[in-house]
Amino acid sequence: MAVFWTSIQSVLSIIIMMAIGYVCKGKGWFDDHFSKSLSQIIMKVALPCSIFMSMLDRFKISQLKSLSVGLVYVIIAFVIGYIISWLLVVVCRIPANQRGLVMTGINGANTVFIGMPLNVALFGNVSIPYLLVYYIVNTIVIWTFGVWVIAAYDPTTKNKVSIDWKHFLPAPLWGFIVAIPFLIWMPNAATQLPTFVTTTLTDVGALVTPLSLIYIGIMLKDFGIQSVRFSKNLNVAILGRFVLSPIIMFALIYAGAHGLHVNMASMFSKTLIIQAATPSFAVLPILADQYHSDVKFATSLVVATSCLFVIVVPIIMGILSL
């Protein structure tokens, strides 16, 4: 019960920060240029700083090997997730212009703007290296196989899938890459670097959580919460994201621990399960528009999962604490 109440309080703080963005956008304080600029600051400045300092403060190079176990779990989870989601869209007779969106929406997570603030709220900055494992695989899968799946149902067949290689090394990942040499040759860099450097990076990195959640609030206002219509197809996608995805991750971790005797740190396993239950990734409507799928459906899926995760996460945390 204590864990459940702690997760409730963490989620409430997230809701309040999202509400600030939502209300301020409603009052006309933020224009479209502001939200785009805010996204750039988070992705290209604050998040790399946060990841870099978290690695220096709380990680040792000897721990890299332990991350590889989680990496395998995440990859297998995505493979299984896409196979089951393909069966779902066939059995449930999802229309062609929604099939790719359902499959990718079930498996693709919003690990940056909601996943990271959520993980930090629940487990603290010490969990960021574990989060990176899910983030790396999630990003690569979305921009390769995920895009291909959506494009496969393009009724015009005019657009061929184009792989944008910059998505494989996004700015946040550079925070991890740059930290590795420091972990090898200056393992105590967090205390050895000049104070003005560590203070600046720490303070800028601390902007990630509030700015990310304010940004999500702005996006919810732009999309329009009231426009969501819970159809059968949307419910299938929501259940897939919040039930199927975390169950697959939990089953793999459980099977590995009890069948193969592969043990993971408790925070690592909880991080992977929670990330598997975060909302669908925010650019899904953009991909829907690019490949002539159902943009309204994609928008409804993003909005619905971005609102409902505040109910789902405390339940999952309560189950994990049993």
Side-chain angles (χ1 to χ4, degrees), residues 96-97 101 143-144 146-164 284-295:
N97 66 341
L101 301 177
W143 294 106
T144 52
V147 173
W148 179 84
V149 167
I150 296 173
Y153 293 98
D154 186 340
T156 68
T157 65
K158 293 180 181 179
N159 284 329
K160 294 183 179 180
V161 178
S162 58
I163 297 177
D164 192 343
L284 188 62
I286 297 174
L287 294 178
D289 180 64
Q290 182 177 350
Y291 294 105
H292 305 93
S293 296
D294 191 333
V295 178

Side-chain angles (χ1 to χ4, degrees), residues 7 160 164 178 249 272:
S7 62
K160 294 183 179 180
D164 192 343
V178 174
M249 185 63 70
L272 296 184

